Amino acid sequence: MDEFEIIRRYFERDTSDDSVLVGIGDDGALTRAEPGRDLVTVIDTMVAGVHFPHFLDPSDIGYRAVAVNLSDIAAMGATPKWMTLALTLHEAEPVWLQEFAGGLFAAANEHGVVLIGGDTTHGDEAVVTIQITGEVEPGSAMLRSGAVAGDSVYVTGTVGDAAAGLSILQSGAPRNDDIDYLVQRFARPTARVDLGRAIASVASAAIDLSDGLYTDTDKLLSASHVSGIIEVNQIPLSLQLRNTMAPSDALQFALGGGDDYELCFTSAASHETIYEIAEKTGVPVTCIGIVADGAGLTCTEDGATYDYTSAGYRHFR
Ligand code: ADP
Ligand code: MG
């Protein structure tokens, strides 16, 4: 199967999106932005064996590659519009391609994103690069750099699930419903696109959690030139994670495990305001700490210093 045939069979889909003037098939895609909107561009590469295990289902690989990019779009408070796909494969295996495309379009369709082009090449390992462009009202994009002392720190959903799921998957431990849930959280992350857009006007800063709650919150704080405190007993842990391991291990995954693709954001708005917005989008949001002057991220447990070290957990990469 040559490159042209792969594109035609698996990636060309009928779309009727007014913003796409020319999609797949020409030298470049031609899109039309809404007048006066700012554009947000994100890109992420996933290498087989580095960013996901070789045995991950191809449909999950496709879904996840889109979702991690949507998560960056969500963290900017933008609306995703168009995506391109650079695909490197060792061999063009029809079943693999069919399933991969199924997962990819499932994630894209959830958010009305159109695949407008790409590149298909041959290589030793599967490498999937996706680039997404989104739109945002001028001046309303969320940045990492806007947190101010006195703001509250919030996190969406639950954290630690994806890293725990991956670690159990790799250990070959027997599966049960709780573990299946955790593995699913790694394989098919939920990009918080609607929530990101909804909080953009009240959040002072935001970041998505790809590397872990501790590391990514720390990045947000240093970009904002402020310090912060996370109360570890406030960190939202799923029932499935708590069922699966001791509380201290769950907390270790929550703070140090990446791949959750939840959002961490700061805001000066009242908790009621934030929870009301969250409720409208159906995404649980939890206040886990506060922003202060100075630098660095501290963890507390019921107010006492909690010594967090990431040494206990090794990332898949
Ligand atoms: P060129 O040689 O001009 O770079 P290609 O022959 O590589 O173009 O690609 C032909 C068309 O197919 C282009 O519109 C390109 O964007 C699109 N395309 C190539 N690979 C993919 C892919 N994996 N997914 C979606 N579109 C693709
Ligand atoms: Mg060309």
Side-chain angles (χ1 to χ4, degrees):
M1 198 170 13
D2 65 8
E3 180 195 342
F4 177 78
E5 186 65 12
I6 293 174
I7 299 163
R8 197 190 57 74
R9 261 206 227 172
Y10 302 105
F11 298 115
E12 261 181 18
R13 299 263 166 122
D14 283 337
T15 49
S16 53
D17 190 305
D18 291 347
S19 72
V20 181
L21 309 182
V22 177
I24 292 172
D26 214 307
D27 292 315
L30 189 62
T31 52
R32 186 164 289 170
E34 291 281 332
R37 294 263 175 91
D38 292 342
L39 298 180
V40 175
T41 305
V42 304
I43 185 165
D44 245 304
T45 291
M46 298 197 333
V47 180
V50 179
H51 300 98
F52 59 88
H54 287 99
F55 53 79
L56 192 65
D57 278 353
S59 69
D60 291 339
I61 297 170
Y63 189 98
R64 193 166 182 277
V66 176
V68 303
N69 278 282
L70 288 172
S71 177
D72 281 324
I73 290 280
M76 299 296 290
T79 302
K81 299 279 293 179
W82 312 295
M83 76 179 180
T84 53
L85 162 70
L87 187 60
T88 299
L89 294 175
H90 187 58
E91 56 188 330
E93 220 268 290
V95 174
W96 193 97
L97 279 161
Q98 184 73 45
E99 291 183 8
F100 171 81
L104 178 121
F105 283 110
N109 292 342
E110 279 175 23
H111 298 280
V113 180
V114 186
L115 180 65
I116 57 168
D119 194 24
T120 307
T121 54
H122 181 265
D124 289 339
E125 283 284 3
V127 181
V128 183
T129 301
I130 286 180
Q131 176 271 336
I132 299 186
T133 302
E135 291 182 336
V136 68
E137 290 296 335
S140 79
M142 291 190 287
L143 305 181
R144 295 178 178 184
S145 53
V148 180
D151 287 353
S152 296
V153 180
Y154 297 88
V155 69
T156 62
T158 58
V159 286
D161 298 332
L166 179 62
S167 145
I168 295 165
L169 191 64
Q170 288 176 302
S171 76
R175 302 279 284 262
N176 60 35
D177 287 353
D178 289 332
I179 291 171
D180 286 348
Y181 172 85
L182 299 175
V183 169
Q184 185 74 358
R185 292 270 290 155
F186 172 82
R188 297 207 165 209
T190 313
R192 303 301 190 185
V193 176
D194 293 343
L195 183 101
R197 228 177 357 221
I199 57 161
S201 57
V202 292
S204 50
I207 189 168
D208 71 318
L209 301 180
S210 52
D211 293 335
L213 179 62
Y214 188 92
T215 302
D216 290 322
T217 305
D218 200 34
K219 278 188 207 162
L220 180 154
L221 296 170
S222 42
S224 298
H225 304 290
V226 289
S227 71
I229 299 168
I230 289 180
E231 170 53 50
V232 298
N233 285 336
Q234 299 298 325
I235 296 174
L237 304 175
S238 69
L239 181 63
Q240 290 86 349
L241 186 65
R242 286 180 284 126
N243 282 345
T244 303
M245 58 185 71
S248 59
D249 293 330
L251 205 49
Q252 195 67 21
F253 277 116
L255 281 164
D259 295 317
D260 282 315
Y261 296 99
E262 295 292 346
L263 296 184
C264 172
F265 63 94
T266 56
S267 177
S270 71
H271 292 175
E272 294 72 46
T273 304
I274 298 296
Y275 294 142
E276 222 169 85
I277 293 171
E279 196 148 286
K280 275 188 202 141
T281 61
V283 179
V285 164
T286 310
C287 178
I288 55 166
I290 52 162
V291 177
D293 287 321
L297 173 59
T298 312
C299 292
T300 60
E301 185 173 21
D302 289 328
T305 303
Y306 176 88
D307 271 325
Y308 167 69
T309 80
S310 63
Y313 175 70
R314 294 220 78 59
H315 231 249
F316 186 79
R317 54 185 115 227

